[in-house]
Amino acid sequence: MSETGPRDLTHRRILGVAIPVVLSNATVPILGAVDTGVVGQLGEAAPIAAVGAGAIILSSVYWIFGFLRMGTTGLAAQALGSGDRAELVALLSRALLIAAVAGGALIALQWAIFAGAFRLAPTSPETEALAREYMGIRIWSAPAAIAIYGLTGWLIAQERTAAVLVVQVAMNGANILLDLWFVLGLDFGVTGVAWATFLSEWAGVALALWLCRAAFADSAWRDRAQVFDPIRLKRMIAVNTDILIRSVLLQATFTSFLLGGGLFGTVALAANQVLLQFLYITSYALDGFAFAVEALVGRFFGAGDRARLRRAVAMCSAWGLGTVAALALAFALLGGGIVDIMTTAPEVRQAARDFLPWMVAAPLVGVAAWILDGIFIGATRTRDMRNMMVLSTICYGAALALLVPAFGNHGLWAALMVSFAARGITLGLRYPALERAAAGGQSPDPRNISEAKT
């Protein structure tokens, strides 16, 4: 079956998907600033450090399950494109079941998780005690935090990013208001920040489920044969496993980059941290078009519509290129002033300016990798993503070995650019095979393409 209810593939449609994602991303740093700001009013360093450490530990643990967002988007978009409504609904149930099981496991293993985290990154007894108190509350919303990944991916697959924006704004807005009330109004301290996040995450899931309520009018969501179909379950596991491996390698690249800056002293490490904020801005901006291409490619891949798939790729890529060109120009003209806002330390300001040209280059070098990631997620060509990430990681390691000894911190930044370029080039070389698969021009691979159309 082809895609039901065809819509024109227009720039307005693409922007309708992309802009809410960008706005949604913008709420994340605001929430982090408020969390830090309210505990900062307590006048002590330990609460600030405790909230920061606890949030980083839990975010890192929850990030492991980020595959659920990407895998659900690709699979759901393909089900939508093929007209398989039952599978679209069943995917939502599977995602929620994964979140419930994973969240329950984290709650059961919380003591071991906290102990391991503080063994790897020890801190003062006071800070550790406060952080454990903070995490001991927040861990009980683990099923909700993981479910948000699946619900978000399911909504993105249907191009319902306005609903994603509503959930994020409502969840983060509630978190901010509860922060202010619990900490500044009721003087709950660190536990107030934790309870605010706990309540807002469960409220966010409730709102997201309400926005997905049409799915629960379809009996497929509770059809055990559909939800636990072994072939589809195996495929979902394979897709998510590939994405997890790819994401771990990507995280290892950024972690080694962050730690590598410490080889050149505190000033270089601080300057790198400041400049990474430019990279985060680029990521937040490009996510909109990467998510748009995920949804559109998935839908047209599922429908077997090679022509519209190619057009979606071209249009989203054009928007991505325009965005990074504007960002590169802004960083070149305004980067120094932005650095001065971020830090008042003269030596860090100067070092950041010395390495600023890398941030001008980064959006231009990295755009292909960002957009191609979205394309391959939409088509669930996850084995290609995994394999090309392995090759890119090898290229990055070789660049580190060759460039860092010769050029120091500049060599470190150059190696990161090599990793971006390698991801874009290797995935680009696999793109023709993706198009052939969309048109049925090669033998189906159950790990990469959709099941037979129903």
Side-chain angles (χ1 to χ4, degrees), residues 286-334:
L286 282 180
D287 269 355
F289 301 108
F291 286 13
V293 83
E294 284 178 29
L296 294 170
V297 165
R299 181 173 294 207
F300 299 143
F301 194 99
D305 191 337
R306 180 175 181 176
R308 284 207 289 178
L309 183 151
R310 180 181 292 179
R311 188 172 174 224
V313 167
M315 292 172 72
C316 291
S317 298
W319 277 105
L321 286 169
T323 300
V324 297
L327 287 171
L329 181 61
F331 293 164
L333 297 177
L334 307 173

mmCIF file of all heavy atoms in Angstrom, residues 286-334:
data_model
loop_
_atom_site.group_PDB
_atom_site.id
_atom_site.type_symbol
_atom_site.label_atom_id
_atom_site.label_comp_id
_atom_site.label_asym_id
_atom_site.label_seq_id
_atom_site.Cartn_x
_atom_site.Cartn_y
_atom_site.Cartn_z
ATOM 1 N N LEU A 286 20.354 22.346 13.619
ATOM 2 C CA LEU A 286 20.263 21.345 12.556
ATOM 3 C C LEU A 286 19.328 20.197 12.908
ATOM 4 O O LEU A 286 18.851 19.491 12.020
ATOM 5 C CB LEU A 286 21.653 20.797 12.228
ATOM 6 C CG LEU A 286 22.545 21.686 11.369
ATOM 7 C CD1 LEU A 286 23.887 21.018 11.136
ATOM 8 C CD2 LEU A 286 21.880 21.995 10.030
ATOM 9 N N ASP A 287 19.082 19.988 14.206
ATOM 10 C CA ASP A 287 18.172 18.909 14.606
ATOM 11 C C ASP A 287 16.813 19.035 13.911
ATOM 12 O O ASP A 287 16.189 18.032 13.563
ATOM 13 C CB ASP A 287 17.954 18.942 16.127
ATOM 14 C CG ASP A 287 18.951 18.069 16.868
ATOM 15 O OD1 ASP A 287 19.741 17.372 16.199
ATOM 16 O OD2 ASP A 287 18.950 18.098 18.113
ATOM 17 N N GLY A 288 16.355 20.264 13.731
ATOM 18 C CA GLY A 288 15.051 20.462 13.107
ATOM 19 C C GLY A 288 14.981 19.834 11.730
ATOM 20 O O GLY A 288 14.024 19.115 11.399
ATOM 21 N N PHE A 289 15.996 20.069 10.913
ATOM 22 C CA PHE A 289 15.990 19.539 9.547
ATOM 23 C C PHE A 289 16.382 18.063 9.523
ATOM 24 O O PHE A 289 15.930 17.314 8.647
ATOM 25 C CB PHE A 289 16.904 20.385 8.665
ATOM 26 C CG PHE A 289 16.470 21.824 8.621
ATOM 27 C CD1 PHE A 289 17.203 22.805 9.268
ATOM 28 C CD2 PHE A 289 15.286 22.193 7.994
ATOM 29 C CE1 PHE A 289 16.784 24.125 9.273
ATOM 30 C CE2 PHE A 289 14.857 23.507 7.990
ATOM 31 C CZ PHE A 289 15.608 24.480 8.632
ATOM 32 N N ALA A 290 17.220 17.634 10.491
ATOM 33 C CA ALA A 290 17.536 16.208 10.588
ATOM 34 C C ALA A 290 16.281 15.407 10.963
ATOM 35 O O ALA A 290 16.024 14.340 10.396
ATOM 36 C CB ALA A 290 18.637 15.985 11.623
ATOM 37 N N PHE A 291 15.478 15.939 11.895
ATOM 38 C CA PHE A 291 14.247 15.255 12.268
ATOM 39 C C PHE A 291 13.240 15.268 11.125
ATOM 40 O O PHE A 291 12.501 14.302 10.911
ATOM 41 C CB PHE A 291 13.621 15.921 13.499
ATOM 42 C CG PHE A 291 14.335 15.625 14.793
ATOM 43 C CD1 PHE A 291 15.590 15.043 14.809
ATOM 44 C CD2 PHE A 291 13.755 15.948 16.008
ATOM 45 C CE1 PHE A 291 16.260 14.778 15.997
ATOM 46 C CE2 PHE A 291 14.401 15.682 17.210
ATOM 47 C CZ PHE A 291 15.661 15.099 17.193
ATOM 48 N N ALA A 292 13.199 16.367 10.393
ATOM 49 C CA ALA A 292 12.284 16.455 9.243
ATOM 50 C C ALA A 292 12.633 15.397 8.208
ATOM 51 O O ALA A 292 11.750 14.712 7.672
ATOM 52 C CB ALA A 292 12.336 17.850 8.632
ATOM 53 N N VAL A 293 13.926 15.255 7.927
ATOM 54 C CA VAL A 293 14.320 14.280 6.910
ATOM 55 C C VAL A 293 14.115 12.858 7.418
ATOM 56 O O VAL A 293 13.812 11.951 6.631
ATOM 57 C CB VAL A 293 15.778 14.527 6.449
ATOM 58 C CG1 VAL A 293 16.807 13.896 7.366
ATOM 59 C CG2 VAL A 293 15.992 14.027 5.017
ATOM 60 N N GLU A 294 14.239 12.626 8.736
ATOM 61 C CA GLU A 294 13.923 11.310 9.292
ATOM 62 C C GLU A 294 12.478 10.928 8.982
ATOM 63 O O GLU A 294 12.192 9.829 8.495
ATOM 64 C CB GLU A 294 14.099 11.316 10.814
ATOM 65 C CG GLU A 294 15.525 11.280 11.304
ATOM 66 C CD GLU A 294 15.587 11.329 12.830
ATOM 67 O OE1 GLU A 294 14.623 10.852 13.462
ATOM 68 O OE2 GLU A 294 16.581 11.820 13.377
ATOM 69 N N ALA A 295 11.568 11.838 9.305
ATOM 70 C CA ALA A 295 10.146 11.546 9.123
ATOM 71 C C ALA A 295 9.796 11.355 7.654
ATOM 72 O O ALA A 295 9.071 10.420 7.286
ATOM 73 C CB ALA A 295 9.310 12.671 9.726
ATOM 74 N N LEU A 296 10.303 12.240 6.802
ATOM 75 C CA LEU A 296 9.943 12.196 5.384
ATOM 76 C C LEU A 296 10.583 11.006 4.678
ATOM 77 O O LEU A 296 9.918 10.305 3.903
ATOM 78 C CB LEU A 296 10.352 13.504 4.710
ATOM 79 C CG LEU A 296 9.587 14.750 5.179
ATOM 80 C CD1 LEU A 296 10.233 16.016 4.644
ATOM 81 C CD2 LEU A 296 8.125 14.671 4.758
ATOM 82 N N VAL A 297 11.866 10.778 4.930
ATOM 83 C CA VAL A 297 12.533 9.628 4.304
ATOM 84 C C VAL A 297 11.885 8.332 4.766
ATOM 85 O O VAL A 297 11.637 7.418 3.968
ATOM 86 C CB VAL A 297 14.044 9.633 4.618
ATOM 87 C CG1 VAL A 297 14.673 8.272 4.307
ATOM 88 C CG2 VAL A 297 14.746 10.716 3.809
ATOM 89 N N GLY A 298 11.576 8.234 6.072
ATOM 90 C CA GLY A 298 10.927 7.027 6.565
ATOM 91 C C GLY A 298 9.595 6.776 5.885
ATOM 92 O O GLY A 298 9.283 5.655 5.484
ATOM 93 N N ARG A 299 8.829 7.835 5.739
ATOM 94 C CA ARG A 299 7.501 7.694 5.124
ATOM 95 C C ARG A 299 7.621 7.267 3.660
ATOM 96 O O ARG A 299 6.944 6.338 3.210
ATOM 97 C CB ARG A 299 6.735 9.007 5.230
ATOM 98 C CG ARG A 299 5.330 8.931 4.641
ATOM 99 C CD ARG A 299 4.523 10.188 4.900
ATOM 100 N NE ARG A 299 4.240 10.359 6.314
ATOM 101 C CZ ARG A 299 3.177 11.028 6.786
ATOM 102 N NH1 ARG A 299 2.307 11.554 5.947
ATOM 103 N NH2 ARG A 299 2.982 11.162 8.075
ATOM 104 N N PHE A 300 8.495 7.929 2.904
ATOM 105 C CA PHE A 300 8.613 7.617 1.478
ATOM 106 C C PHE A 300 9.346 6.295 1.259
ATOM 107 O O PHE A 300 9.097 5.598 0.276
ATOM 108 C CB PHE A 300 9.319 8.762 0.744
ATOM 109 C CG PHE A 300 8.587 10.073 0.842
ATOM 110 C CD1 PHE A 300 9.271 11.280 0.971
ATOM 111 C CD2 PHE A 300 7.201 10.106 0.834
ATOM 112 C CE1 PHE A 300 8.584 12.479 1.078
ATOM 113 C CE2 PHE A 300 6.505 11.307 0.947
ATOM 114 C CZ PHE A 300 7.202 12.492 1.071
ATOM 115 N N PHE A 301 10.249 5.939 2.181
ATOM 116 C CA PHE A 301 10.898 4.633 2.102
ATOM 117 C C PHE A 301 9.865 3.532 2.304
ATOM 118 O O PHE A 301 9.830 2.539 1.563
ATOM 119 C CB PHE A 301 11.998 4.543 3.165
ATOM 120 C CG PHE A 301 12.955 3.405 2.970
ATOM 121 C CD1 PHE A 301 14.183 3.599 2.379
ATOM 122 C CD2 PHE A 301 12.627 2.120 3.394
ATOM 123 C CE1 PHE A 301 15.074 2.554 2.195
ATOM 124 C CE2 PHE A 301 13.500 1.056 3.217
ATOM 125 C CZ PHE A 301 14.725 1.285 2.618
ATOM 126 N N GLY A 302 9.016 3.708 3.303
ATOM 127 C CA GLY A 302 7.969 2.730 3.550
ATOM 128 C C GLY A 302 6.991 2.611 2.398
ATOM 129 O O GLY A 302 6.452 1.536 2.133
ATOM 130 N N ALA A 303 6.763 3.732 1.694
ATOM 131 C CA ALA A 303 5.843 3.729 0.549
ATOM 132 C C ALA A 303 6.518 3.258 -0.737
ATOM 133 O O ALA A 303 5.854 3.095 -1.760
ATOM 134 C CB ALA A 303 5.277 5.137 0.346
ATOM 135 N N GLY A 304 7.849 3.066 -0.694
ATOM 136 C CA GLY A 304 8.576 2.690 -1.907
ATOM 137 C C GLY A 304 8.622 3.798 -2.935
ATOM 138 O O GLY A 304 8.743 3.544 -4.137
ATOM 139 N N ASP A 305 8.555 5.064 -2.489
ATOM 140 C CA ASP A 305 8.503 6.223 -3.382
ATOM 141 C C ASP A 305 9.892 6.858 -3.464
ATOM 142 O O ASP A 305 10.230 7.787 -2.730
ATOM 143 C CB ASP A 305 7.482 7.230 -2.850
ATOM 144 C CG ASP A 305 7.166 8.330 -3.846
ATOM 145 O OD1 ASP A 305 8.004 8.587 -4.734
ATOM 146 O OD2 ASP A 305 6.091 8.941 -3.720
ATOM 147 N N ARG A 306 10.708 6.331 -4.386
ATOM 148 C CA ARG A 306 12.103 6.790 -4.503
ATOM 149 C C ARG A 306 12.181 8.249 -4.925
ATOM 150 O O ARG A 306 13.050 8.981 -4.436
ATOM 151 C CB ARG A 306 12.826 5.903 -5.519
ATOM 152 C CG ARG A 306 14.279 6.261 -5.740
ATOM 153 C CD ARG A 306 14.918 5.255 -6.672
ATOM 154 N NE ARG A 306 16.318 5.521 -6.906
ATOM 155 C CZ ARG A 306 17.107 4.743 -7.626
ATOM 156 N NH1 ARG A 306 16.620 3.631 -8.169
ATOM 157 N NH2 ARG A 306 18.379 5.042 -7.806
ATOM 158 N N ALA A 307 11.308 8.682 -5.811
ATOM 159 C CA ALA A 307 11.385 10.052 -6.319
ATOM 160 C C ALA A 307 11.137 11.072 -5.210
ATOM 161 O O ALA A 307 11.883 12.059 -5.074
ATOM 162 C CB ALA A 307 10.370 10.242 -7.447
ATOM 163 N N ARG A 308 10.108 10.841 -4.414
ATOM 164 C CA ARG A 308 9.824 11.806 -3.340
ATOM 165 C C ARG A 308 10.844 11.692 -2.208
ATOM 166 O O ARG A 308 11.134 12.681 -1.533
ATOM 167 C CB ARG A 308 8.399 11.627 -2.828
ATOM 168 C CG ARG A 308 7.370 12.211 -3.789
ATOM 169 C CD ARG A 308 6.110 12.646 -3.065
ATOM 170 N NE ARG A 308 5.327 11.509 -2.601
ATOM 171 C CZ ARG A 308 4.195 11.622 -1.899
ATOM 172 N NH1 ARG A 308 3.750 12.814 -1.552
ATOM 173 N NH2 ARG A 308 3.535 10.540 -1.546
ATOM 174 N N LEU A 309 11.384 10.503 -2.001
ATOM 175 C CA LEU A 309 12.455 10.366 -1.021
ATOM 176 C C LEU A 309 13.637 11.244 -1.419
ATOM 177 O O LEU A 309 14.185 11.988 -0.597
ATOM 178 C CB LEU A 309 12.879 8.899 -0.919
ATOM 179 C CG LEU A 309 13.947 8.545 0.122
ATOM 180 C CD1 LEU A 309 13.755 7.108 0.612
ATOM 181 C CD2 LEU A 309 15.368 8.682 -0.436
ATOM 182 N N ARG A 310 14.031 11.155 -2.697
ATOM 183 C CA ARG A 310 15.168 11.947 -3.171
ATOM 184 C C ARG A 310 14.883 13.437 -3.064
ATOM 185 O O ARG A 310 15.753 14.218 -2.680
ATOM 186 C CB ARG A 310 15.489 11.579 -4.621
ATOM 187 C CG ARG A 310 16.658 12.359 -5.206
ATOM 188 C CD ARG A 310 16.919 11.976 -6.642
ATOM 189 N NE ARG A 310 17.418 10.616 -6.749
ATOM 190 C CZ ARG A 310 17.706 10.030 -7.912
ATOM 191 N NH1 ARG A 310 17.520 10.674 -9.043
ATOM 192 N NH2 ARG A 310 18.172 8.796 -7.928
ATOM 193 N N ARG A 311 13.641 13.826 -3.371
ATOM 194 C CA ARG A 311 13.286 15.246 -3.285
ATOM 195 C C ARG A 311 13.311 15.728 -1.833
ATOM 196 O O ARG A 311 13.764 16.833 -1.536
ATOM 197 C CB ARG A 311 11.901 15.482 -3.889
ATOM 198 C CG ARG A 311 11.564 16.965 -4.005
ATOM 199 C CD ARG A 311 10.288 17.187 -4.782
ATOM 200 N NE ARG A 311 9.929 18.601 -4.738
ATOM 201 C CZ ARG A 311 8.718 19.068 -4.533
ATOM 202 N NH1 ARG A 311 7.722 18.217 -4.347
ATOM 203 N NH2 ARG A 311 8.481 20.355 -4.501
ATOM 204 N N ALA A 312 12.838 14.894 -0.913
ATOM 205 C CA ALA A 312 12.872 15.258 0.503
ATOM 206 C C ALA A 312 14.309 15.440 0.973
ATOM 207 O O ALA A 312 14.619 16.385 1.718
ATOM 208 C CB ALA A 312 12.175 14.186 1.335
ATOM 209 N N VAL A 313 15.190 14.540 0.556
ATOM 210 C CA VAL A 313 16.603 14.642 0.919
ATOM 211 C C VAL A 313 17.194 15.947 0.383
ATOM 212 O O VAL A 313 17.906 16.663 1.097
ATOM 213 C CB VAL A 313 17.379 13.427 0.371
ATOM 214 C CG1 VAL A 313 18.884 13.661 0.450
ATOM 215 C CG2 VAL A 313 16.995 12.166 1.133
ATOM 216 N N ALA A 314 16.900 16.261 -0.880
ATOM 217 C CA ALA A 314 17.451 17.478 -1.492
ATOM 218 C C ALA A 314 16.948 18.733 -0.783
ATOM 219 O O ALA A 314 17.724 19.659 -0.497
ATOM 220 C CB ALA A 314 17.090 17.517 -2.972
ATOM 221 N N MET A 315 15.659 18.774 -0.478
ATOM 222 C CA MET A 315 15.092 19.976 0.139
ATOM 223 C C MET A 315 15.593 20.164 1.572
ATOM 224 O O MET A 315 15.968 21.273 1.971
ATOM 225 C CB MET A 315 13.568 19.900 0.101
ATOM 226 C CG MET A 315 12.990 19.989 -1.300
ATOM 227 S SD MET A 315 11.202 19.673 -1.364
ATOM 228 C CE MET A 315 10.575 21.175 -0.610
ATOM 229 N N CYS A 316 15.619 19.097 2.344
ATOM 230 C CA CYS A 316 16.110 19.210 3.720
ATOM 231 C C CYS A 316 17.609 19.528 3.747
ATOM 232 O O CYS A 316 18.076 20.296 4.607
ATOM 233 C CB CYS A 316 15.841 17.921 4.493
ATOM 234 S SG CYS A 316 14.086 17.612 4.821
ATOM 235 N N SER A 317 18.350 18.967 2.810
ATOM 236 C CA SER A 317 19.777 19.260 2.726
ATOM 237 C C SER A 317 20.011 20.730 2.392
ATOM 238 O O SER A 317 20.931 21.365 2.929
ATOM 239 C CB SER A 317 20.451 18.371 1.681
ATOM 240 O OG SER A 317 20.351 17.007 2.040
ATOM 241 N N ALA A 318 19.188 21.273 1.510
ATOM 242 C CA ALA A 318 19.322 22.687 1.151
ATOM 243 C C ALA A 318 19.084 23.577 2.368
ATOM 244 O O ALA A 318 19.822 24.551 2.603
ATOM 245 C CB ALA A 318 18.343 23.039 0.033
ATOM 246 N N TRP A 319 18.074 23.257 3.153
ATOM 247 C CA TRP A 319 17.817 24.022 4.382
ATOM 248 C C TRP A 319 18.966 23.855 5.368
ATOM 249 O O TRP A 319 19.367 24.816 6.051
ATOM 250 C CB TRP A 319 16.504 23.580 5.023
ATOM 251 C CG TRP A 319 15.309 24.250 4.410
ATOM 252 C CD1 TRP A 319 14.401 23.697 3.560
ATOM 253 C CD2 TRP A 319 14.893 25.611 4.607
ATOM 254 N NE1 TRP A 319 13.451 24.617 3.212
ATOM 255 C CE2 TRP A 319 13.728 25.810 3.840
ATOM 256 C CE3 TRP A 319 15.403 26.683 5.344
ATOM 257 C CZ2 TRP A 319 13.062 27.026 3.799
ATOM 258 C CZ3 TRP A 319 14.748 27.906 5.307
ATOM 259 C CH2 TRP A 319 13.586 28.069 4.537
ATOM 260 N N GLY A 320 19.500 22.648 5.459
ATOM 261 C CA GLY A 320 20.631 22.426 6.353
ATOM 262 C C GLY A 320 21.849 23.233 5.941
ATOM 263 O O GLY A 320 22.519 23.854 6.776
ATOM 264 N N LEU A 321 22.125 23.259 4.638
ATOM 265 C CA LEU A 321 23.268 24.029 4.137
ATOM 266 C C LEU A 321 23.085 25.521 4.388
ATOM 267 O O LEU A 321 24.024 26.225 4.779
ATOM 268 C CB LEU A 321 23.464 23.752 2.651
ATOM 269 C CG LEU A 321 24.055 22.386 2.289
ATOM 270 C CD1 LEU A 321 23.948 22.133 0.784
ATOM 271 C CD2 LEU A 321 25.514 22.315 2.732
ATOM 272 N N GLY A 322 21.882 26.008 4.149
ATOM 273 C CA GLY A 322 21.616 27.414 4.410
ATOM 274 C C GLY A 322 21.796 27.762 5.883
ATOM 275 O O GLY A 322 22.339 28.821 6.232
ATOM 276 N N THR A 323 21.350 26.855 6.744
ATOM 277 C CA THR A 323 21.468 27.088 8.186
ATOM 278 C C THR A 323 22.916 27.140 8.625
ATOM 279 O O THR A 323 23.322 28.050 9.375
ATOM 280 C CB THR A 323 20.724 25.979 8.964
ATOM 281 O OG1 THR A 323 19.347 26.003 8.597
ATOM 282 C CG2 THR A 323 20.857 26.181 10.461
ATOM 283 N N VAL A 324 23.738 26.190 8.176
ATOM 284 C CA VAL A 324 25.134 26.171 8.626
ATOM 285 C C VAL A 324 25.922 27.327 8.026
ATOM 286 O O VAL A 324 26.849 27.849 8.663
ATOM 287 C CB VAL A 324 25.820 24.830 8.303
ATOM 288 C CG1 VAL A 324 25.145 23.699 9.047
ATOM 289 C CG2 VAL A 324 25.872 24.550 6.811
ATOM 290 N N ALA A 325 25.566 27.752 6.809
ATOM 291 C CA ALA A 325 26.241 28.910 6.238
ATOM 292 C C ALA A 325 25.978 30.153 7.087
ATOM 293 O O ALA A 325 26.887 30.943 7.372
ATOM 294 C CB ALA A 325 25.767 29.140 4.799
ATOM 295 N N ALA A 326 24.715 30.322 7.518
ATOM 296 C CA ALA A 326 24.370 31.463 8.371
ATOM 297 C C ALA A 326 25.076 31.366 9.721
ATOM 298 O O ALA A 326 25.574 32.372 10.252
ATOM 299 C CB ALA A 326 22.860 31.520 8.565
ATOM 300 N N LEU A 327 25.130 30.161 10.286
ATOM 301 C CA LEU A 327 25.797 29.984 11.572
ATOM 302 C C LEU A 327 27.296 30.247 11.464
ATOM 303 O O LEU A 327 27.881 30.898 12.346
ATOM 304 C CB LEU A 327 25.556 28.562 12.091
ATOM 305 C CG LEU A 327 24.153 28.269 12.618
ATOM 306 C CD1 LEU A 327 24.002 26.774 12.892
ATOM 307 C CD2 LEU A 327 23.869 29.063 13.887
ATOM 308 N N ALA A 328 27.926 29.734 10.414
ATOM 309 C CA ALA A 328 29.365 29.957 10.237
ATOM 310 C C ALA A 328 29.668 31.450 10.125
ATOM 311 O O ALA A 328 30.637 31.954 10.716
ATOM 312 C CB ALA A 328 29.866 29.213 8.996
ATOM 313 N N LEU A 329 28.830 32.173 9.381
ATOM 314 C CA LEU A 329 29.021 33.622 9.239
ATOM 315 C C LEU A 329 28.824 34.323 10.587
ATOM 316 O O LEU A 329 29.612 35.209 10.958
ATOM 317 C CB LEU A 329 28.032 34.174 8.203
ATOM 318 C CG LEU A 329 28.119 35.684 7.928
ATOM 319 C CD1 LEU A 329 29.494 36.050 7.374
ATOM 320 C CD2 LEU A 329 27.017 36.103 6.945
ATOM 321 N N ALA A 330 27.801 33.921 11.316
ATOM 322 C CA ALA A 330 27.549 34.529 12.627
ATOM 323 C C ALA A 330 28.693 34.259 13.592
ATOM 324 O O ALA A 330 29.111 35.159 14.341
ATOM 325 C CB ALA A 330 26.237 33.982 13.195
ATOM 326 N N PHE A 331 29.221 33.042 13.568
ATOM 327 C CA PHE A 331 30.333 32.718 14.469
ATOM 328 C C PHE A 331 31.576 33.520 14.093
ATOM 329 O O PHE A 331 32.337 33.946 14.968
ATOM 330 C CB PHE A 331 30.648 31.226 14.415
ATOM 331 C CG PHE A 331 29.555 30.340 14.966
ATOM 332 C CD1 PHE A 331 29.536 28.974 14.698
ATOM 333 C CD2 PHE A 331 28.535 30.860 15.752
ATOM 334 C CE1 PHE A 331 28.550 28.149 15.204
ATOM 335 C CE2 PHE A 331 27.521 30.044 16.266
ATOM 336 C CZ PHE A 331 27.535 28.693 15.983
ATOM 337 N N ALA A 332 31.792 33.708 12.785
ATOM 338 C CA ALA A 332 32.959 34.467 12.339
ATOM 339 C C ALA A 332 32.860 35.933 12.753
ATOM 340 O O ALA A 332 33.852 36.544 13.177
ATOM 341 C CB ALA A 332 33.102 34.356 10.821
ATOM 342 N N LEU A 333 31.669 36.517 12.644
ATOM 343 C CA LEU A 333 31.498 37.947 12.934
ATOM 344 C C LEU A 333 31.272 38.224 14.411
ATOM 345 O O LEU A 333 31.733 39.265 14.929
ATOM 346 C CB LEU A 333 30.309 38.494 12.121
ATOM 347 C CG LEU A 333 30.442 38.444 10.601
ATOM 348 C CD1 LEU A 333 29.172 38.944 9.939
ATOM 349 C CD2 LEU A 333 31.648 39.261 10.139
ATOM 350 N N LEU A 334 30.555 37.333 15.092
ATOM 351 C CA LEU A 334 30.129 37.599 16.466
ATOM 352 C C LEU A 334 30.774 36.679 17.493
ATOM 353 O O LEU A 334 30.525 36.840 18.694
ATOM 354 C CB LEU A 334 28.603 37.469 16.572
ATOM 355 C CG LEU A 334 27.767 38.293 15.579
ATOM 356 C CD1 LEU A 334 26.298 37.934 15.700
ATOM 357 C CD2 LEU A 334 27.996 39.780 15.804
#
